[in-house]
């Protein structure tokens, strides 16, 4: 990373989720001045699990070694040594066989170890500790409303509370409902800037591990398991160093999402049991352990409206703002971290002279990242349909499901991010040389 000289430009980051925070830390470590503008009153994440595959963990290290160290503090891996290469043991969730006797329909193996899961809020807490204490780089209660360009070329960010900030460039990390995306695309394309309901929703719950082991036995509760079934599937994996089981239960839904303004709606345990009525006793037992007031999360994505570009002039998008995806490859945050690795390394490139070069950085980032991340959005929808036996050709053919999922996961897992960074740097320098 570069020495002590600060780079001659400033970056405004809109949104302090996982993408915005890792970007802020990665830029700080590279002596790039940035400020995070977050609409909430503090940095917040939900109490649910998050998995990073080995490639995503390598991306954390490339962003900054202390970001990797922060993840390692909260990371949980499969409890059994024999399961270290198991991404998921996949079971027929409809089987009427006690969990302890149930054999996997198949196992999805991951070539590299090094990935793991964490409790989201705990990870965010660790990231917040990495922000510099001596500089005020986070501003809260700052909901972005619009962006204007002033006569000196700087961007003016106008917030809903009437305040204004300036920066040489804006990177929108403001998630699924990104306002930066709308501004970047322009007023005539606001409809295109919206995520659509993917026709799936999810229930996300944490269950004390002792109770989960009682229901499933240690092998299935303390290691990653996936439960297939018609039009629904569920994932279970350990978080919080094995103290808790994370359950995510997905449901296919042909109706419209009832309230476009809200991504989450209150639900009841009875509704989950009704959705999973074709499942056997193992999944039903777990659902019975869920707190009485679970939330239902509508899964929205950009599959129907992939963005033509991830930047315009000196406004750029990263993370879910650029490529909101359903979570069926377990990789939305992982590819967002890859975005951060590429963006931060390009912004720190010594060939940059000043703010006039930032658009070239964003064009290079767009070239490096758009096709991979937009493929993920499409592929993720397909993965859920495979787990839910919804594909008319593959159906319940376990060999067919395993082959296709393994091939798709390999595309996610096997990225050589170091090589991608080198290629992107070469493209950037060639742009300046042209
Ligand atoms: C059920 C589920 C399970 C998942 N599991 C995994 C997994 O296991 N592994 C994985 O890699 N990914 C997973 N994902 C995907 C992952 O959660 C997201 O890709 C990731 O959280 C995106 O982070 P982000 O920072 O880009 O966006 P967000 O987390 O949405 O953060 C956006 C931030 O911007 C702020 N903001 C929004 N609008 C404004 C505004 N106008 N002005 C200022 N601030 C604003 C918000 O308050 C928020 O803090 C899952 C997703 C779901 C739904």
């Amino acid at each position: 990373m570069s020495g002590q000289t600060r780079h001659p430009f400033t970056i405004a980051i809109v949104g302090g989720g996982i993408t915005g925070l890792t970007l802020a830390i990665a830029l700080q470590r590279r002596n790039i001045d940035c400020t995070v503008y977050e609409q909430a009153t503090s940095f917040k994440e939900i109490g649910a699990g998050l998995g990073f595959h080995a490639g995503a963990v390598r991306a954390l290290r490339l962003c900054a070694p202390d970001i990797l160290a922060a993840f390692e503090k909260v990371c949980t891996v499969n409890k059994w040594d024999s399961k270290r290469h198991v991404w998921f043991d996949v079971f027929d969730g409809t089987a009427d066989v006690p969990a302890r006797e149930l054999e996997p329909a198949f196992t999805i193996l991951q070539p590299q170890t090094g990935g793991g899961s964490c409790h989201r809020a705990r990870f965010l807490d660790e990231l917040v500790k990495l922000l510099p204490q001596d500089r005020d780089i986070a501003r809260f209660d700052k909901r972005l409303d619009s962006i204007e360009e002033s006569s000196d070329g700087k961007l003016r960010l106008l917030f809903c509370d009437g305040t204004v900030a300036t920066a040489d460039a804006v990177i929108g990390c403001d998630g699924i409902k990104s306002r930066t995306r709308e501004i970047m695309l322009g007023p005539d394309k606001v409809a295109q800037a919206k995520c659509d309901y993917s026709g799936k929703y999810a229930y996300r719950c944490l269950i004390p591990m002792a109770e989960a082991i009682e229901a499933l036995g240690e092998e299935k509760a303390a290691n990653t398991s996936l439960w297939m079934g018609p039009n629904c599937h569920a994932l279970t994996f350990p978080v919080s160093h094995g103290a808790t089981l994370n359950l995510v239960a997905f449901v296919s839904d042909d109706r419209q999402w009832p309230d476009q303004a809200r991504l989450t709606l209150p639900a009841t345990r009875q509704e989950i049991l009704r959705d999973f009525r074709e499942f056997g006793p193992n999944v039903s037992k777990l659902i019975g352990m869920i707190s009485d007031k679970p939330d239902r999360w509508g899964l929205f994505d950009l599959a129907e409206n992939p963005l033509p570009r991830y930047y315009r002039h000196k406004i750029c998008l990263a993370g879910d703002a650029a490529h909101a995806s359903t979570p069926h490859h377990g990789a939305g945050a992982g590819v967002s971290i890859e975005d951060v690795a590429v963006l931060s390394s390009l912004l720190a490139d010594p060939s940059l002279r000043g703010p006039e070069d930032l658009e070239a950085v964003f064009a290079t980032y767009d070239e490096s990242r758009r096709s991979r991340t937009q493929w993920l959005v499409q592929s993720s929808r397909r993965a859920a349909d495979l787990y839910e036996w919804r594909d008319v050709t593959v159906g319940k053919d376990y060999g067919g499901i395993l082959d296709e999922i393994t091939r798709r996961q390999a595309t996610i897992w096997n990225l050589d991010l170091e090589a991608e960074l080198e290629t992107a740097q070469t493209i950037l320098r060639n742009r300046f040389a042209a």
Side-chain angles (χ1 to χ4, degrees):
M1 291 188 197
S2 46
Q4 291 307 305
T5 322
R6 300 205 76 77
H7 291 265
F9 50 82
T10 56
I11 303 287
I13 298 170
V14 180
I18 284 173
T19 310
L21 262 182
T22 47
L23 180 61
I25 298 160
L27 294 185
Q28 288 293 319
R29 298 296 179 270
R30 289 165 175 80
N31 298 316
I32 295 171
D33 286 325
C34 64
T35 306
V36 182
Y37 298 96
E38 166 57 48
Q39 67 179 359
T41 50
S42 64
F43 293 121
K44 276 192 203 120
E45 252 294 357
I46 58 162
L50 176 72
F52 278 136
H53 57 84
V57 172
R58 282 198 306 279
L60 290 171
R61 178 177 53 75
L62 290 171
C63 290
D66 50 359
I67 296 181
L68 171 61
F71 175 68
E72 284 172 343
K73 275 194 202 161
V74 294
C75 170
T76 305
V77 295
N78 277 343
K79 182 166 183 187
W80 290 16
D81 280 345
S82 59
K83 305 275 186 192
R84 287 292 147 92
H85 278 278
V86 170
W87 188 53
F88 279 106
D89 276 329
V90 182
F91 299 95
D92 176 353
T94 67
D96 190 6
V97 177
R100 285 176 176 76
E101 292 161 31
L102 184 65
E103 292 294 324
F106 55 86
T107 294
I108 306 168
L109 293 172
Q110 48 191 351
Q112 302 108 356
T113 56
S117 307
C118 65
H119 186 289
R120 284 171 181 261
R122 298 293 90 75
F123 180 44
L124 209 80
D125 290 346
E126 292 301 325
L127 289 178
V128 170
K129 289 182 198 162
L130 299 181
L131 292 173
Q133 303 301 310
D134 57 334
R135 256 168 293 139
D136 177 20
I137 78 155
R139 308 282 155 79
F140 298 105
D141 262 329
K142 296 292 168 200
R143 182 181 173 82
L144 180 72
D145 180 42
S146 56
I147 302 174
E148 293 171 350
E149 186 164 351
S150 46
S151 51
D152 59 0
K154 287 206 182 278
L155 297 182
R156 283 163 45 85
L157 294 88
L158 285 75
F159 298 101
C160 295
D161 65 357
T163 57
V164 177
T166 57
D168 291 306
V170 174
I171 302 180
C173 303
D174 43 351
I176 291 180
K177 292 184 171 181
S178 170
R179 175 69 186 136
T180 318
R181 187 195 304 136
E182 292 176 349
I183 296 167
M184 190 202 84
L185 284 175
D188 53 328
K189 296 211 175 71
V190 169
Q192 200 193 324
K194 297 242 180 290
C195 286
D196 292 299
Y197 181 46
S198 66
K200 303 227 187 296
Y201 56 81
Y203 303 102
R204 309 163 92 173
C205 327
L206 296 171
I207 296 170
M209 185 55 83
E211 289 177 34
I213 288 178
E214 221 168 276
L216 299 181
E218 187 185 73
E219 178 176 6
K220 294 178 180 68
N223 300 295
T224 43
S225 304
L226 190 153
W227 306 82
M228 297 183 291
N231 299 315
C232 299
H233 74 286
L235 308 178
T236 53
F237 55 86
V239 293
S240 302
H241 302 299
T244 313
L245 175 120
N246 185 63
L247 166 67
V248 196
F250 296 100
V251 180
S252 283
D253 171 31
D254 296 333
R255 297 159 298 179
Q256 294 293 310
W257 183 250
D259 184 347
Q260 296 296 318
R262 293 163 70 197
L263 294 182
T264 60
L265 295 171
T268 64
R269 204 188 298 136
Q270 283 316 314
E271 283 171 310
I272 311 180
L273 283 168
R274 203 177 315 130
D275 282 337
F276 280 79
R277 61 190 169 278
E278 291 184 63
F279 278 63
N282 301 312
V283 173
S284 305
K285 255 192 234 163
L286 276 184
I287 295 172
M289 294 172 174
I290 291 173
S291 81
D292 202 28
K293 292 203 172 122
D295 281 328
R296 185 154 66 102
W297 293 71
L299 300 178
F300 286 69
D301 68 11
L302 283 166
E304 279 148 45
N305 280 323
L307 298 180
R309 285 195 299 180
Y310 286 176
Y311 77 104
R312 184 168 59 88
H313 303 312
K314 287 189 273 176
I315 303 177
C316 182
L317 303 175
D320 277 10
H323 41 73
S325 172
T326 54
H328 309 299
H329 279 309
V335 293
S336 303
I337 302 295
E338 292 171 9
D339 289 352
V340 171
V342 173
L343 260 178
S344 56
S345 106
L346 290 176
L347 284 166
D349 196 275
S351 62
L352 263 74
R353 292 154 302 180
E356 68 276 20
D357 288 336
L358 292 172
E359 187 169 345
V361 166
F362 295 153
T364 309
Y365 157 79
D366 175 64
E367 195 176 330
S368 165
R369 299 297 303 153
R370 188 155 38 85
S371 87
R372 171 174 171 79
T373 48
Q374 291 187 339
W375 170 86
L376 176 84
V377 177
Q378 302 296 333
S379 183
S380 176
R381 282 194 176 199
R382 169 85 183 149
D385 285 343
L386 289 169
Y387 293 135
E388 297 178 5
W389 307 335
R390 286 166 65 86
D391 182 84
V392 281
T393 318
V394 182
K396 249 183 109 172
D397 167 9
Y398 294 154
I401 300 173
L402 175 61
D403 278 355
E404 188 170 336
I405 291 288
T406 304
R407 193 164 38 77
R408 288 175 182 276
Q409 285 300 142
T411 304
I412 296 161
W413 291 335
N414 295 343
L415 176 76
D416 183 345
L417 187 56
E418 282 94 340
E420 291 292 316
L421 293 183
E422 267 181 42
T423 306
Q425 277 161 342
T426 306
I427 293 171
L428 181 67
R429 288 170 196 170
N430 288 344
R431 274 181 205 272
F432 292 140

